[in-house]
């Protein structure tokens, strides 16, 4: 779609997949419209061309669809289920239906009173149905409403008024339940849209103003008081507080924020006073992107849904043909009773209604994607949800994924008369001017141990080896063992200690002078506390192989592999080598996920069946490139995502199998006359209700 001429609208009152298809077709018939994309799950429509809101509402008048521009804030009326116009009609229809059956016992089936009561039930409950169904019949458009209209009119013609009234009521009930279930599924998006406030307190020129988020500019200073929600993404420039980011990342534990830290729109400031510099416009905030991506994901058809839609296209005309043959062939060639076989043909029409089949997949997909978004996992389409449910292998990047991504000091040892505390002071003083990650690890350790920092003079970085500086008149060195090769002798005992630590994946730095090695410090990237538990859960979920793909050295990789119990470790890989490794795993196992940070691992993420990025809340790249984004910078949501996807696959298969099975059984029961017209509708409504309730179980899937 051309973005320049694209207009997006939100919809209210879009009740069923069939109505959505008809609404989309009606919009296409508007001469000034070039293209249409209707998102049933998110209840949105995007058009290219020119069409007024009035024209769009006229296209949806058959279903009472209301249309609003996407960015217009609309307060949706929460009408109780039983107070909706169509549901009121269903209740009145039920009242006349019951009165009709009471009249059957007192006045008889053929009395004018009984027929009138049943006719009122049919007319009130089926008025909207008949309008659409008859219109479709004239145009030779065969959908479920066409089937029902023909069946009800046919029942009235052959004198089965009571059966026709029951069919109308049960179909209306089925439509109401379908609308209710989709409404519940869409609430996950509505709840996301309500997370961030509509206004923020902005400080300009010494004064404070309440400003609508659409009018806030990048660089504005936003004031966030204790207990208030953050309205815009930004950077803290003053203050300190605990921020609850559960709405964005799914993390229940508040995160400490201070100057320089990033905060997200929709998060809750729990205790401190903050001044925040706005860094993104309202439409570009993380929560806005999440909403947009979730809506796009719900519009993307899963493979199973695409199959069902293709099947339904041929299924409905086939059912009409079968119903016609059942009604006509026995009376013509076998001496059957016309009324009896027409009745059975009508029953075939009713039981063949594909309601349960059509709704079997979209309700499950929409519910699962909405549930995941609320738990801090962004799944960008039904196809990715299904692929995640089929995973056999999960490959991980090491740094920042299985590990913390920053080294920590693990060992400090003196091999001279210098104490460990003095050795740490010298090392930290030397590293004060260095930008190396290992320098940061030593400085953090020194701060934790309250080690004294000495004044360093004549600092010099020794590229690739270390650094040197003068401390209290003595020149000290810190660096890799290679730095001391041509310097003071390194004893055999120290060499053995270095070799042992390197075998564990640690990086060793020696500290010394021109005359003597004073001691050594070892540092290593620490395994995330959650990594081992995550890998164990994945194995229990049926993941056959867990692989680490890293550019780090073999010793460090092997050490972490042993700690975590990974089934395979591949080290010293360039990005192209990671890509080859993923291709090899896909060739061998079929369904492979790659978990990384969404930046360095882009080729491997793209090549995997499912690319899973961590820390999506902080990086636009992760949100844009990955198929699945774990919004928190933690792996703990990965088992939940796999479990949710597998449960969704199970439910979709159950829904399709149940819908098919029940239709087939009902068709077999119709031929010998064991299934009445109202029982056929009851079977159809029952199957739709069971499919919906089965799909809604996904709302109960929780992160553990």
């Amino acid at each position: 779609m051309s973005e320049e001429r694209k207009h997006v609208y939100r919809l209210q009152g879009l009740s069923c997949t069939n109505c959505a298809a008809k609404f989309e077709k009606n919009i296409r018939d508007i001469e000034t419209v070039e293209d249409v994309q209707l998102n049933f799950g998110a209840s949105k429509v995007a058009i290219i061309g020119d069409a007024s809101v009035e024209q769009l509402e006229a296209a949806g008048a058959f279903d009472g669809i209301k249309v609003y521009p996407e960015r217009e804030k609309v307060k949706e009326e929460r009408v109780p289920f039983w107070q909706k116009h169509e549901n009121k009609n269903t209740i009145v229809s039920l009242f006349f239906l019951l009165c009709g059956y009471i009249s059957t016992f007192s006045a008889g089936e053929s009395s004018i009173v009984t027929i009138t009561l049943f006719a009122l039930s049919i007319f009130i409950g089926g008025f909207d149905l008949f309008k659409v169904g008859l219109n479709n019949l004239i145009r030779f458009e065969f959908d479920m409403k066409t089937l029902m209209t023909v069946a009800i009119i046919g029942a009235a013609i052959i004198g089965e008024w009571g059966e026709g009234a029951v069919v109308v009521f049960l179909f209306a009930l089925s439509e109401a339940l379908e609308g209710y279930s989709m409404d519940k599924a869409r609430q996950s998006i509505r709840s996301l849209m309500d997370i961030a406030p509509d206004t923020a307190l902005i400080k300009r020129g010494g004064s404070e103003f309440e400003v609508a988020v659409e009018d806030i500019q990048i660089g504005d200073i936003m004031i966030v008081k204790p207990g208030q929600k953050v309205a815009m993404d930004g950077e803290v420039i003053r203050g300190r507080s605990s921020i609850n980011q559960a709405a964005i990342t799914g993390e229940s534990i508040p995160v400490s924020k201070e100057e320089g830290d990033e905060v997200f729109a929709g998060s809750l400031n729990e205790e401190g006073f903050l001044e925040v510099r706005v860094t993104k416009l309202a439409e570009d905030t993380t929560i806005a992107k999440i909403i947009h991506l979730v809506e796009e994901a719900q519009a993307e058809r899963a493979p199973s849904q695409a199959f069902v839609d293709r099947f339904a296209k041929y299924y409905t005309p086939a059912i009409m043909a079968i119903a016609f043959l059942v009604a006509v062939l026995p009376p013509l060639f076998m001496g059957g009773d016309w009324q009896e076989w027409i009745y059975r043909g009508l029953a075939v029409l009713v039981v063949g209604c594909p309601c349960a089949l059509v709704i079997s997949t979209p309700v499950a997909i929409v519910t699962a994607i909405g549930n995941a978004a609320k738990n801090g996992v962004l799944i960008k389409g039904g196809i990715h949800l299904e692929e995640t449910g089929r995973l056999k292998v999960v490959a991980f990047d090491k740094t920042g994924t299985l590990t913390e991504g920053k080294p920590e000091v693990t060992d400090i040892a003196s091999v001279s008369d210098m104490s460990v505390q003095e050795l740490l002071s010298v090392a930290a003083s030397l590293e004060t001017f260095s930008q190396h990650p290992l320098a940061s690890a030593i400085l953090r350790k020194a701060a934790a141990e309250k080690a004294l920092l000495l004044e360093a003079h004549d600092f010099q970085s020794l590229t690739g080896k270390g650094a040197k500086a003068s401390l209290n008149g003595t020149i000290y060195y810190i660096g890799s063992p290679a730095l001391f090769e041509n310097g003071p002798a390194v004893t055999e005992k120290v060499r053995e200690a270095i070799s042992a630590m390197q075998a564990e994946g640690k990086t060793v730095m020696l500290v010394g002078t021109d005359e003597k090695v004073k001691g050594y410090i070892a540092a290593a990237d620490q395994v995330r506390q959650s990594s081992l538990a995550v890998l164990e859960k994945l194995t229990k979920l049926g993941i056959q192989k867990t692989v680490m793909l890293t550019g780090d050295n073999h010793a460090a990789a092997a050490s972490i592999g042993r700690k975590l119990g990974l089934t395979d470790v591949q080290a010293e890989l360039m990005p192209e080598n990671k890509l080859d490794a993923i291709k090899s795993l896909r060739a061998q196992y079929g369904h492979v996920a790659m978990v990384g940070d969404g930046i360095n691992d882009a080729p491997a993420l793209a090549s995997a069946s499912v690319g899973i990025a961590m820390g999506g809340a902080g990086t636009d790249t992760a949100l844009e490139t990955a198929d699945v984004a774990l919004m928190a910078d933690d792996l703990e949501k990965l088992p939940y995502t796999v479990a949710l996807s597998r449960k969704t696959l199970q439910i979709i298969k159950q829904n399709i199998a149940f819908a098919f099975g029940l239709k087939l059984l009902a068709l077999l029961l119709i031929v010998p006359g064991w299934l009445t017209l109202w029982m056929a509708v009851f079977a159809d409504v029952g199957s739709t209700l069971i499919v919906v309730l089965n799909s809604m179980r996904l709302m109960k899937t929780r992160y553990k």
Side-chain angles (χ1 to χ4, degrees):
M1 273 195 169
S2 167
E3 292 298 320
E4 291 179 8
R5 303 190 60 217
K6 182 177 177 181
H7 305 282
V8 183
Y9 301 90
R10 294 197 175 276
L11 309 172
Q12 284 185 11
L14 191 64
S15 60
C16 67
T17 50
N18 199 58
C19 303
K22 185 176 177 63
F23 180 49
E24 185 173 344
K25 182 182 179 302
N26 289 350
I27 295 174
R28 285 187 192 281
D29 291 340
I30 299 172
E31 288 184 8
T32 51
V33 172
E34 296 169 28
D35 194 15
V36 185
Q37 284 182 355
L38 194 140
N39 182 338
F40 177 63
S43 207
K44 285 170 68 174
V45 66
I47 66 166
I48 285 187
D50 297 312
S52 65
V53 169
E54 290 74 19
Q55 284 177 298
L56 296 175
E57 288 190 345
F62 68 93
D63 201 31
I65 296 167
K66 296 294 179 186
V67 181
Y68 303 94
E70 184 184 27
R71 301 213 178 277
E72 184 180 314
K73 289 277 183 183
V74 181
K75 188 74 176 175
E76 184 156 353
E77 293 178 35
R78 300 278 176 170
V79 182
F81 182 73
W82 297 112
Q83 288 184 21
K84 289 186 176 179
H85 170 71
E86 59 272 24
N87 296 344
K88 283 181 179 179
N89 287 350
T90 304
I91 295 168
V92 175
S93 174
L94 174 62
F95 171 75
F96 282 112
L97 173 65
L98 295 173
C99 289
Y101 273 108
I102 292 168
S103 176
T104 301
F105 295 113
S106 57
E109 283 184 28
S110 305
S111 76
I112 190 69
V113 175
T114 303
I115 291 172
T116 302
L117 289 168
F118 282 139
L120 282 170
S121 177
I122 290 171
F123 181 78
I124 293 167
F127 182 73
D128 294 332
L129 165 67
F130 297 144
K131 272 199 308 183
V132 178
L134 290 170
N135 198 25
N136 288 352
L137 200 57
I138 293 165
R139 297 181 182 184
F140 290 95
E141 293 174 3
F142 301 114
D143 62 12
M144 59 188 81
K145 289 193 175 179
T146 314
L147 298 184
M148 284 297 182
T149 301
V150 172
I152 294 159
I153 292 172
I157 290 170
I158 63 173
E160 296 289 347
W161 291 94
E163 296 269 349
V166 173
V167 169
V168 165
F169 168 70
L170 291 176
F171 183 75
L173 182 62
S174 171
E175 291 274 282
L177 290 171
E178 184 180 338
Y180 176 75
S181 66
M182 284 308 302
D183 198 49
K184 290 290 281 184
R186 288 180 186 133
Q187 278 180 14
S188 58
I189 290 183
R190 291 200 198 103
S191 63
L192 286 174
M193 293 174 72
D194 294 338
I195 284 170
D198 295 333
T199 61
L201 195 60
I202 297 296
K203 184 177 177 183
R204 290 176 184 165
S207 300
E208 296 176 5
F209 304 91
E210 192 83 20
V211 179
V213 291
E214 293 84 2
D215 300 325
I216 296 173
Q217 300 298 311
I218 292 172
D220 278 344
I221 305 303
M222 178 172 61
I223 292 171
V224 189
K225 297 175 182 178
Q228 287 185 338
K229 280 188 174 182
V230 180
M232 304 285 285
D233 283 14
E235 180 186 333
V236 177
I237 59 170
R238 185 180 165 210
R240 184 172 185 165
S241 183
S242 291
I243 300 286
N244 187 328
Q245 301 183 155
I248 312 296
T249 65
E251 298 169 290
S252 56
I253 300 172
V255 180
S256 179
K257 300 283 183 178
E258 54 189 31
E259 287 182 29
D261 288 338
E262 186 178 18
V263 292
F264 304 113
S267 54
L268 177 66
N269 179 21
E270 294 204 333
E271 50 190 42
F273 178 91
L274 295 176
E275 287 190 11
V276 177
R277 182 187 294 111
V278 175
T279 55
K280 292 179 183 175
L281 296 173
E283 62 266 25
D284 297 325
T285 61
T286 301
I287 189 66
K289 286 187 176 179
I290 291 171
I291 292 165
H292 174 72
L293 289 169
V294 169
E295 290 180 334
E296 292 300 306
Q298 293 184 333
E300 185 181 315
R301 297 187 175 213
S304 55
Q305 185 178 347
F307 160 74
V308 167
D309 290 346
R310 283 197 308 273
F311 181 83
K313 184 179 177 183
Y314 303 104
Y315 172 85
T316 306
I319 285 292
M320 291 200 76
I322 292 168
F324 178 77
L325 294 173
V326 167
V328 171
L329 290 183
L332 281 179
F333 300 106
M334 302 174 198
D337 178 67
W338 276 100
Q339 182 163 336
E340 181 184 339
W341 284 99
I342 287 172
Y343 180 86
R344 292 184 192 179
L346 295 175
V348 170
L349 277 184
V350 171
V351 85
C353 192
C355 299
L357 193 59
V358 170
I359 205 171
S360 61
T361 304
V363 175
I365 294 289
V366 169
T367 305
I369 288 174
N371 184 329
K374 287 171 71 176
N375 281 284
V377 179
L378 198 55
I379 302 172
K380 291 166 66 174
I383 187 169
H384 307 306
L385 184 72
E386 289 197 8
E387 277 294 330
T388 306
R390 296 189 181 99
L391 288 177
K392 294 180 180 177
V393 178
V394 180
F396 299 89
D397 175 41
K398 179 182 79 75
T399 308
T401 302
L402 291 172
T403 65
E404 295 287 355
K406 59 181 183 181
E408 295 293 340
V409 171
T410 56
D411 303 86
I412 306 175
S414 173
V415 293
S416 65
D417 55 357
M418 185 179 281
S419 70
V420 168
Q421 191 76 357
E422 288 171 331
L423 185 72
L424 185 57
S425 291
V426 168
S429 303
L430 288 168
E431 296 288 22
T432 303
F433 302 99
S434 176
Q435 299 299 314
H436 196 279
L438 292 173
S440 301
I442 290 172
L443 289 169
R444 283 196 298 274
K445 182 68 174 177
E449 298 291 331
K450 296 185 171 59
L452 179 68
L453 288 182
L454 307 171
E455 191 173 347
H457 299 278
D458 305 322
F459 174 83
Q460 186 180 347
S461 177
L462 306 171
T463 307
K465 291 187 176 181
K468 70 173 185 176
S470 174
L471 304 174
N472 293 336
T474 304
I475 296 195
Y476 284 92
Y477 296 82
I478 184 168
S480 66
L483 179 63
F484 291 81
E485 279 178 0
N486 300 319
V490 179
T491 64
E492 191 60 33
K493 186 176 179 182
V494 171
R495 289 185 189 278
E496 288 175 4
I498 291 171
S499 297
M501 285 185 284
Q502 286 176 336
E504 294 175 8
K506 297 175 182 177
T507 301
V508 183
M509 294 159 284
L510 298 181
V511 179
T513 63
D514 288 318
E515 291 81 29
K516 189 176 182 182
V517 173
K518 296 290 187 179
Y520 57 81
I521 297 175
D525 190 3
Q526 299 299 296
V527 171
R528 287 181 184 265
Q529 290 184 350
S530 60
S531 293
L532 183 59
V534 164
L535 290 165
E536 287 174 351
K537 286 178 183 177
L538 288 176
T539 303
K540 286 179 182 176
L541 286 168
I543 298 297
Q544 297 173 14
K545 194 176 180 74
T546 50
V547 184
M548 183 168 72
L549 306 177
T550 178
D552 208 344
N553 65 73
H554 285 289
S559 172
I560 288 172
R562 285 193 299 273
K563 286 178 185 174
L564 295 176
L566 292 160
T567 50
D568 188 19
V569 173
Q570 298 182 37
E572 297 182 13
L573 302 179
M574 299 295 286
E576 58 268 25
N577 302 133
K578 289 187 180 183
L579 180 60
D580 291 339
I582 291 293
K583 286 180 178 177
S584 173
L585 288 166
R586 285 197 72 174
Q588 191 176 352
Y589 292 93
H591 303 282
V592 178
M594 174 69 193
V595 187
D597 59 14
I599 303 169
N600 303 328
D601 303 304
L605 284 167
S607 177
S609 310
V610 184
I612 302 173
M614 285 178 54
T619 61
D620 290 342
T621 310
L623 285 175
E624 288 159 12
T625 60
D627 302 319
V628 177
L630 308 179
M631 302 306 288
D633 188 23
D634 200 338
L635 277 177
E636 286 192 342
K637 296 292 172 69
L638 185 56
Y640 155 78
T641 307
V642 173
L644 176 68
S645 301
R646 295 203 163 168
K647 188 173 179 181
T648 305
L649 266 186
Q650 281 180 351
I651 282 177
I652 288 172
K653 287 174 183 174
Q654 289 167 6
N655 286 351
I656 293 173
F658 182 78
F660 268 131
L662 199 62
K663 298 290 178 200
L664 188 61
L665 178 64
L667 286 170
L668 292 173
L669 293 174
I670 284 168
V671 177
W674 295 344
L675 200 70
T676 63
L677 199 59
W678 75 266
M679 286 170 67
V681 185
F682 193 75
D684 181 65
V685 174
S687 62
T688 302
L689 182 57
I690 289 169
V691 160
V692 166
L693 293 175
N694 195 35
S695 298
M696 300 306 274
R697 288 196 298 131
L698 289 165
M699 289 182 122
K700 304 296 182 186
T701 304
R702 294 282 179 261
Y703 160 67
K704 295 178 183 177

